[in-house]
Amino acid sequence: MLEIYGFTPLHAAIGGALLGTATLMRMWLTGRILGVSGIAGGLVRGKASDASRWLFTAGLVAGGLGLQVVYPQAFAPVALAPWREALAGLAVGLGAGLGNGCTSGHGISGNARLSKRSIAYTLTFMGAGFAVASLLSSASNVQVQHAPLPPVDVVLRTAVRLFAAHACAYAAVAALVALDTLPQSVALNLTSLVDGTLFAFGLGLSGMTSPARVAQFLDVSAGTWNPTLMFVMAGGLGLMAPFMTLLVLPKRLGKPVLGKSFELPTNSTIDAKLLAGGVLFGSGWAIGGMCPGPALVNLASPHGAPLIFVGTMFAGLALSDSKQVCGCLGG
């Protein structure tokens, strides 16, 4: 039996619901997948001219700055060896690029539509994560000085206020488009900014801006386990899955509010490239306790930004697009 510790299911589910809301709203309004590595990774994979990618990424950092005000408990001092940070970032970036997704694009958006490719990738990176974190005792080596969490009712009120503010922003953009006072291209860009800030707040309130909580979830070598991350995913999927399976996939929604069609991935192949990406992503996630979304939000941390991780992550994303790497895996 594993000893459960550091378990905050209600905080996690509330934050996860905000993650699911951001993912749902992006699909409903624009017809696009919310995948952090796919959106931000495009900046180093030949799509840097797309303003919406810059604005979404900026929204993640801006959301991090907002967390300093509304929920400072999202950030804490992190003790992570530089080699771990560098190796973790490189593996996460390379794995996300090869697998065309991460914990958001595959973990929430892909699994919500019951994509076999996303399910395979998720199972692969989870399996690799548990194995590598337990082998390297990540829970002991990814140390964070957490501040006490506020009561659940305080977190819930904060989440409701954040949701209301973002709902007003989404509604305002949609209304301006309907009144022909805002070009649709500008509306899509503004929506990406709002998506980014709401997703950042979800990560903060759920506790996923802490790499230690991820390490505690993946590392079971000491006979202890922190299952909080499961409830974050449940909170996100609990909103996104019904929306996708009951409305989008059966085509009960003809088109997104601000777009012409729902842009769902059509690739259903489960190949060596996908699985190798899952192994690399899960290994990096286990070593450093971070994936693309939390790392970018942590650029706003008052305790120091994970610059090494973010730098090597983008290097890995760029490298994953090279012909040499793809050729070795048959891609």
Side-chain angles (χ1 to χ4, degrees):
M1 293 290 292
L2 292 173
E3 178 185 348
I4 303 299
Y5 75 113
F7 187 29
T8 55
L10 296 180
H11 293 74
I14 291 168
L18 286 185
L19 297 177
T21 300
T23 308
L24 185 156
M25 293 303 295
R26 183 174 179 85
M27 179 59 64
W28 184 26
L29 293 179
T30 70
R32 298 174 178 176
I33 294 289
L34 195 160
V36 176
S37 64
I39 299 170
L43 299 177
V44 294
R45 302 179 81 191
K47 299 178 181 178
S49 60
D50 184 350
S52 69
R53 296 176 184 274
W54 290 101
L55 287 169
F56 176 81
T57 305
L60 290 174
V61 181
L65 293 172
L67 282 167
Q68 291 190 31
V69 178
V70 302
Y71 198 74
Q73 296 88 349
F75 300 116
V78 179
L80 186 63
W83 73 265
R84 276 184 172 267
E85 192 174 340
L87 182 59
L90 182 64
V92 163
L94 187 56
L98 291 173
N100 293 116
C102 56
T103 47
S104 53
H106 280 305
I108 296 179
S109 295
N111 289 328
R113 65 179 191 278
L114 304 178
S115 162
K116 292 181 180 179
R117 182 174 164 85
S118 291
I119 293 171
Y121 184 82
T122 302
L123 291 175
T124 302
F125 78 65
M126 282 290 187
F130 275 109
V132 172
S134 298
L135 181 64
L136 298 181
S137 301
S138 291
S140 300
N141 289 290
V142 181
Q143 294 290 331
V144 175
Q145 300 175 22
H146 292 128
L149 293 178
V152 171
D153 63 314
V154 173
V155 179
L156 182 59
R157 286 197 298 271
T158 301
V160 170
R161 294 189 189 104
L162 290 169
F163 167 74
H166 284 78
C168 289
Y170 285 127
V173 171
L176 290 173
V177 171
L179 294 170
D180 290 326
T181 57
L182 186 70
Q184 194 170 62
S185 59
V186 176
L188 292 172
N189 289 339
L190 290 175
T191 301
S192 287
L193 178 64
V194 181
D195 294 337
T197 58
L198 182 56
F199 200 80
F201 284 122
L203 288 171
L205 267 63
S206 68
M208 290 302 101
T209 45
S210 166
R213 291 193 177 96
V214 174
Q216 291 164 3
F217 173 75
L218 295 173
D219 179 9
V220 294
S221 62
T224 56
W225 187 42
N226 181 349
T228 296
L229 188 144
M230 290 177 58
F231 283 72
V232 179
M233 296 297 290
L237 286 170
L239 290 176
M240 191 61 178
F243 177 74
M244 293 299 296
T245 58
L246 299 178
L247 296 175
V248 176
L249 296 179
K251 299 184 179 179
R252 292 191 174 96
L253 290 178
K255 64 177 184 176
V257 176
L258 302 175
K260 296 180 180 179
S261 63
F262 291 102
E263 301 174 12
L264 301 178
T266 58
N267 184 1
S268 59
T269 303
I270 299 174
D271 55 12
K273 183 179 176 183
L274 177 79
L275 298 178
V279 170
L280 284 167
F281 181 89
S283 298
W285 195 38
I287 292 169
M290 286 183 282
C291 57
L296 291 169
V297 175
N298 268 295
L299 289 177
S301 172
H303 304 288
L307 296 177
I308 297 175
F309 183 97
V310 172
T312 57
M313 179 186 76
F314 276 113
L317 283 163
L319 181 62
S320 71
D321 212 26
S322 69
K323 294 181 179 179
Q324 290 85 350
V325 171
C326 293
C328 289
L329 295 169

